[in-house]
Amino acid sequence: MIGFGRGNRGSGRRSVVAQHRLVWHAAGLLLAYPDAGQGERLGVVEDILGHLPPNSRDQLAETCRFLRGCDEYVAATQYVETFDLRRRSTLYLTYWTAGDTRNRGREILSFADAYRGAGVEPPKSESADHLTVVLEFAACVDPEAGSKLLSAHRVPLETIWSALTDSNSPYAPVLAAVCGTLPSVSNQDVLRAQHLAASGPPAEAVGLELFTLTVPPRREGVT
């Protein structure tokens, strides 16, 4: 009976991790720039939805339905307005922890080092700290290391989610689903998120060149 109990808990843990990986995979695909590969990505998401628990399934399905029914040009324009032109909802995670300071390059490098530590090279078409890259890594390469990266940036993720919710963005449910896979926030985390949303990230204009690496494919000429 004792051995069965331990095995059951282990099996349950593996099941939870598997579900989290599916959420991360679907979320990363939904947060990709809406290019010519959008239809294929949404097809993968739709296949994943049937394997998720109701809460995360409904959250991701909401965004998936929006993108499936949205004109490609309209979706692309809204994506740029949401994630590229609004600092409050940028998907570059080190922006929230280092801002425009000389520390940002070092923090981006820590993401790349985590990928290399898991035996893969950082992608070359997007920055290593972009949320889509972290989600793909967590889903497809190393869920433990990926979960640690996401959990370490839980406050920025909460801040992005809040900004998307405030603007009634169709992407808000995706951030809700991602946050739902992470440990619960503490009162201190909530206060930090509120402070970050109100004051913004650290600022120190040093002419730091953007460190670009990774996925999914993005349009030319947008930084």
Side-chain angles (χ1 to χ4, degrees):
M1 291 295 293
I2 295 176
F4 177 79
R6 287 199 296 268
N8 190 42
R9 287 194 296 270
S11 176
R13 171 60 182 164
R14 286 193 295 273
S15 177
V16 169
V17 171
Q19 289 181 349
H20 287 177
R21 294 181 77 168
L22 289 174
V23 170
W24 297 332
H25 192 187
L29 294 173
L30 290 171
L31 291 173
Y33 176 74
D35 58 12
Q38 178 83 308
E40 182 178 355
R41 287 194 297 271
L42 294 180
V44 175
V45 171
E46 289 162 348
D47 289 340
I48 290 174
L49 294 178
H51 302 280
L52 296 177
N55 192 41
S56 53
R57 180 189 64 215
D58 293 347
Q59 290 166 334
L60 295 169
E62 182 177 344
T63 303
C64 188
R65 284 193 299 270
F66 165 79
L67 292 174
R68 180 64 83 181
C70 192
D71 175 80
E72 183 179 322
Y73 176 78
V74 173
T77 300
Q78 184 167 17
Y79 185 96
V80 172
E81 291 176 349
T82 300
F83 297 117
D84 294 336
L85 301 182
R86 299 176 188 169
R87 290 191 173 189
R88 286 193 65 213
S89 50
T90 180
L91 297 179
Y92 292 100
L93 296 181
T94 62
Y95 173 77
W96 296 102
T97 55
D100 295 320
T101 72
R102 55 178 55 90
N103 292 327
R104 189 176 177 199
R106 183 173 64 247
E107 292 196 13
I108 294 174
L109 184 59
S110 70
F111 281 83
D113 287 343
Y115 304 155
R116 293 190 179 101
V120 295
E121 283 298 310
K124 297 180 180 179
S125 58
E126 183 61 270
S127 180
D129 66 323
H130 196 272
L131 180 55
T132 57
V133 180
V134 184
L135 289 169
E136 182 176 338
F137 172 73
C140 303
V141 179
D142 190 330
E144 182 176 356
S147 179
K148 288 180 179 178
L149 288 173
L150 291 169
S151 296
H153 294 81
R154 178 62 190 267
V155 170
L157 290 173
E158 290 280 342
T159 307
I160 298 168
W161 178 15
S162 177
L164 294 175
T165 300
D166 290 345
S167 63
N168 295 314
S169 170
Y171 290 101
V174 180
L175 269 294
V178 172
C179 288
T181 66
L182 305 176
S184 300
V185 293
S186 65
N187 290 335
Q188 184 177 9
D189 287 334
V190 172
L191 292 174
R192 286 176 59 203
Q194 291 173 344
H195 175 75
L196 191 58
S199 62
E204 175 186 284
V206 294
L208 184 64
E209 183 178 351
L210 184 63
F211 181 75
T212 51
L213 290 167
T214 227
V215 232
R218 285 166 61 85
R219 55 267 175 256
E220 295 291 333
V222 177
T223 58

